[in-house]
Structure formats: C-alpha cells, structure tokens
Amino acid sequence: MTFPAPVVPPTPLTRVPTHHARIGLVTGGLGNYWPQFPGLLPTIEASAARIRDHIAGSGAFVEDAGVVSDPVAGAAAAERLRRADCDLIVVFVATYMTSAQVLPVFKYGGAPILLVSLQPSSSMDHATFGTGDWLGYAGFAGLPEIGVALERLGMPVRSVSGHLDDPRAWEKIDRWVRTAGVVRALRRARHGMMGHLYPGMFDIATNITAITGTLGGHVEVLEFDDLKLRYDKVTDAETEKVLDVVEQVFDIDPSADRANVRFQARVSAALDHLVDDYALDTLAYFYFGEEDTLLQRLGAGFAIGATLLSSCGIPTVTEYEVRAATAMYVLDQYGAGGTLTEGQALNFDDGVCEVGHNDAADTAITARKPLLRSLDVYHGKSGGGVSVEVDIAHGPVTQYSIGELHDGRLKFIASEGTVVDGPLLRIGNTTSRVDFGCDPGDWADAWSRSGSTHHWAMGVGHRAADIEALADLLGAEYLRVQP
C-alpha cells in the first residue's frame, strides 16, 4: 500500500506530490554460520526480500546492499549506501552477528539507523528445529550488542522486533519509512517569509537559522513589492480562470462583495506566479501598510489565494507564522492536510475547545464547502473583504506546533483529539470544536505550558506518533500534550 494516503482537495484543485524516502537496506549475519548450516543464508535472504519488497511497496526507493557477513563487507555496504543518498538505513538483524560487521554502516552510511529484527514466524517449531533452524530466528540474540554499538558511537538506538507476519511490527517500520520521507521533503523545502512580523507577537518571532539548522531547507525573505510586481502583470484571462475555480470550490454568500472577490482572484493569480518563481513550499506573510494603498490592499487580499494554495498542499498563512506553515507542511506530507489554528474559546458546557483562524483554510480537510463571507474589518488587521468560513471534517485530528526554545532549539508539540459536531461562530473564520477527552481548561493550561506559539497546525487523523518519530530523526525535543 502506498503511503501517505493524501487528503484530496475539491475539484478542480490538485495536491502537490508528497516526497518518498530513499531507504538503505543491509542484512547482517555471522559469516561463520553459512558453511556450518547451508540452509541458513537462503532463509535470511528470503526474509530480507520480504522486508525490501514491503518498503518498496510503500513508494520508497530501496538501495539493497545485501548481506553483510564480516567487517569488510560492512565497509563496502557503507560506501554503497552513502552514495545512494539514503534518508534512513534499515539494518536487518537476521541472526546473531558481531557489532563490528555493521559498525562501518553506522559511522559512514550517512543516514539515521533503524534496527529491524523480524523472525520468519511468530514462534519456532521446537519439536523439529535444529541449530540451523533456530539461528534463523536468532536476531534477538544479536540485537542488544548492535544497540550498544550505536550507543557507544553516540547515536540513537531505534529498533523494531517482531515477525514477518506481524502487523504491529510493520506499522512501526512503515512509520519510520514514512517519516524518513518527511525528513527528505524538509531537507529540500523552500519557505517564503513576505512582509513583516505582526508587531508585538514575540512568540511568532523566528530564528531563521533554527529552521534551516534543525529542519533543513531554505528560507526566502520576500517583500510585498515582489507580489505587487506580479499583481501588476496578471491578465484578465488569468483572473477569470481563478474566478472559475472560486465558483467551484466555494459557496459565496449572497451579500459577499463581488468586487472584492474579483480583486482577491487577481491576488491569487499573482500568488501563483510568486510561488512558482521562487519554488516555494510554504509562504508566511503579513503587512499593515498605509491606508488605501495597493500594498495595504494586497496584504488584506489573501483569503482566497491562501486557501487555494493551502488546499493544494502549499501552506500559506498570515501573521508571518513560518513555523505554523512548516507544521502544516509536515502534516500534509503525512497525508493529513493542515490548516492554521489558534484558540478561540472554551466550551465547558459541551466539554470542547473551540479553535480555528481567519484568512485561509485547507479545503481538502473541511466538513463542508467553505463559505466566502464579507467582513467590514479583519479583526486586528488592516482592511476588510471576503473571508473564509468553514469547519474541519469531524473525526480524529492532531494539533501540531513547532515551538522555539530560549536557546534557539525547536520543540515539536502534539496533541490528539476529535472534531465533533455542534454550534459554530459565523464570523468568516475556520472554527472547529475539538474534544481532547478532558476538561477544556485542563487542556488549555497544558497546551499553554508546552511552549507552543498561539498559532499551530491541525490535520486529520491521529499523528502524534509520527511527529514523535520526526522529532527523533531530526534531533528536536518532543512533547505530547494529553492531560
């Protein structure tokens, strides 16, 4: 089965492709065993083929370095895997082996290590098995030694033990492979920051070096003039094309300002050019500007364009929130979609937290067709115009925030809940009712202590374990908030 299973935006929008990992595979076993027990090596090779085929079936590229029987073969495998530019190296501990055999792979393979010990079946046939048969199940014998080797090299020890028909083990392996693909995407991601920080939002202020240092990728600093240049060149035909998409994707309130809808459609076309010209994967923006100028109007004209881009898997968010945009991008790489979120209110009568944000939505994960509603003012911002009103699809969701600690390190914060039905505000915002399985005040207090900014990302499905794995591979701190 290919993963992630991406959310699907409404017609005629299409989601940008997610990234798949390059996985190195190396199988280890003590070479002294092969002449002693002639059937052992074929058994191990057959198990390794099952692992290789399963990983490849997910869409990942697999560089199979074969069986490593001694340190010389280990060194050759390390060089092959390094050249393959792997995102994760799976070391299949098929039977006992010495740690020296795979030490070169650990040191020079160039990627994080996952130890996998999958025996051929759930248990041995004790009545018929001889020593050679037992050794086909003896990965458990060598696993602790291999773990010590990693620890002494100062490297994380990750392992999955089970058997070849064990869905629990495959689920864990799939998570690491999937997460390696997210790491690959982040290494190549280009994040746009256009305009300026919302004045006074110290929690949003981001050290660009922390983004590139921990996650990889590149941050492109842009001016609103870059958007204006492209807005000036948008043709009537391009604007009409966006308007046609708007009619298909949104419900438009009868009282909506159609002139503003057309203006925002032109801004959307300009944003498409900006994203293409700079090859952006995310865009965080904000601009106050002088009243009644074009730049000020552009800064207030993002609701449609930001929604369409976010719905295509290019998170586009207000208030200069590059970390929230990146969190949305991560969730989307997991197939969860992602929309900008902040706390709105606590409903103690219904036991839910009401969360959401203005300006953009990810229509791939909404419960209904988004509504364009006109607002006289965008609260706390300059200007007014049409805004997007919608709620997220009912069911399991994950809140994901990337916090920045006092020393510049990034912290991944996750919490799982369920979007439930009920009354919503009708103020031109995304709004959802999330049940976190606890008192809403307790959740709000725990989340506020976590180090999250007042903005974060929300995606569909329960993804906390994925985010924990990502933090592990990237070396970021991780906290799950689940009071």
Side-chain angles (χ1 to χ4, degrees):
M1 178 179 178
T2 300
F3 57 73
V7 294
V8 179
T11 303
L13 303 178
T14 57
R15 210 78 171 180
V16 297
T18 53
H19 291 252
H20 292 291
R22 295 180 66 87
I23 304 297
L25 175 63
V26 59
T27 301
L30 188 63
N32 291 340
Y33 292 154
W34 313 147
Q36 293 177 329
F37 307 100
L40 178 58
L41 182 57
T43 296
I44 287 172
E45 290 174 330
S47 296
R50 284 274 304 273
I51 295 171
R52 180 193 64 230
D53 293 346
H54 179 93
I55 295 173
S58 72
F61 170 83
V62 181
E63 180 68 27
D64 188 352
V67 177
V68 168
S69 303
D70 54 48
V72 174
E79 178 64 15
R80 178 174 173 178
L81 297 176
R82 184 185 63 78
R83 290 180 180 275
D85 185 31
C86 297
D87 304 300
L88 179 73
I89 295 173
V90 174
V91 176
F92 175 32
V93 186
T95 185
Y96 175 77
M97 60 178 171
T98 65
S99 48
Q101 293 173 222
V102 287
L103 212 64
V105 173
F106 297 165
K107 284 181 63 67
Y108 306 118
I113 303 297
L114 173 66
L115 305 178
V116 169
S117 178
L118 299 185
Q119 59 191 42
S121 65
S122 57
S123 63
M124 294 185 292
D125 184 348
H126 299 83
T128 63
F129 268 31
T131 302
D133 302 304
W134 154 61
L135 288 173
Y137 283 69
F140 175 39
L143 196 60
E145 177 178 341
I146 309 306
V148 169
L150 281 167
E151 194 281 330
R152 289 184 177 179
L153 290 173
M155 300 174 69
V157 182
R158 309 175 187 91
S159 67
V160 176
S161 295
H163 59 89
L164 289 174
D165 296 311
D166 183 354
R168 177 197 59 86
W170 286 122
E171 180 181 355
K172 292 181 178 181
I173 292 169
D174 287 346
R175 176 172 295 117
W176 287 113
V177 172
R178 185 166 59 238
T179 300
V182 178
V183 171
R184 189 172 191 85
L186 288 169
R187 282 170 54 194
R188 290 156 175 76
R190 292 175 56 83
H191 308 286
M193 298 180 70
M194 183 170 68
H196 59 80
L197 180 71
Y198 190 107
M201 284 186 181
F202 291 167
D203 63 327
I204 305 307
T206 296
N207 181 347
I208 293 175
T209 306
I211 296 291
T212 58
T214 301
L215 308 179
H218 170 72
V219 176
E220 188 76 28
V221 178
L222 303 165
E223 301 286 355
F224 256 76
D225 301 83
D226 294 309
L227 180 61
K228 178 183 178 298
L229 287 171
R230 289 157 178 82
Y231 174 86
D232 290 340
K233 296 178 181 178
V234 171
T235 65
D236 289 342
E238 289 176 316
T239 301
E240 291 295 335
K241 184 176 180 180
V242 176
L243 285 170
D244 181 61
V245 172
V246 169
E247 293 288 346
Q248 296 179 68
V249 171
F250 298 94
D251 281 332
I252 303 177
D253 189 270
S255 63
D257 182 349
R258 287 285 180 163
N260 186 256
V261 172
R262 184 175 186 85
F263 168 72
Q264 288 202 25
R266 184 173 172 182
V267 175
S268 177
L271 282 169
D272 289 342
H273 287 300
L274 184 81
V275 166
D276 288 343
D277 291 346
Y278 288 97
L280 298 180
D281 295 290
T282 74
L283 176 62
Y285 65 90
F286 187 75
Y287 192 78
F288 265 126
E290 185 180 354
E291 193 73 19
D292 294 328
T293 63
L294 177 57
L295 288 178
Q296 182 267 333
R297 291 181 64 219
L298 289 174
F302 271 69
I304 288 174
T307 294
L308 295 179
L309 284 170
S310 297
S311 301
C312 291
I314 303 172
T316 303
V317 303
T318 187
E319 295 174 27
Y320 220 50
E321 243 301 12
V322 65
R323 280 179 279 133
T326 304
M328 290 164 62
Y329 179 73
V330 166
L331 286 174
D332 189 59
Q333 290 296 311
Y334 280 116
T339 198
L340 183 64
T341 306
E342 69 180 7
Q344 292 179 324
L346 303 177
N347 188 325
F348 293 96
D349 292 335
D350 296 340
V352 298
C353 298
E354 298 184 48
V355 301
H357 208 275
N358 67 299
D359 213 20
D362 181 354
T363 60
I365 61 172
T366 56
R368 55 189 167 88
K369 201 172 184 180
L371 175 71
L372 287 180
R373 182 189 296 279
S374 283
L375 302 178
D376 292 333
V377 294
Y378 294 145
H379 66 277
K381 304 176 178 66
S382 59
V386 294
S387 188
V388 181
E389 181 178 291
V390 75
D391 59 327
I392 301 306
H394 301 168
V397 290
T398 300
Q399 320 297 312
Y400 170 36
S401 179
I402 301 177
E404 183 178 318
L405 303 176
H406 70 280
D407 57 4
R409 292 180 299 116
L410 298 184
K411 180 179 183 180
F412 290 3
I413 305 153
S415 184
E416 296 177 346
T418 304
V419 173
V420 297
D421 197 12
L424 300 171
L425 291 172
R426 297 180 179 180
I427 57 171
N429 284 195
T430 59
T431 304
S432 297
R433 297 157 49 90
V434 184
D435 182 355
F436 290 102
C438 64
D439 181 271
D442 290 343
W443 188 87
D445 288 338
W447 188 256
S448 300
R449 291 192 301 267
S450 72
S452 170
T453 64
H454 76 280
H455 299 135
W456 59 87
M458 177 163 60
V460 295
H462 284 164
R463 312 284 176 166
D466 292 328
I467 294 166
E468 183 177 14
L470 182 63
D472 184 303
L473 289 182
L474 293 172
E477 186 173 330
Y478 172 76
L479 174 67
R480 180 169 175 181
V481 174
Q482 219 71 55

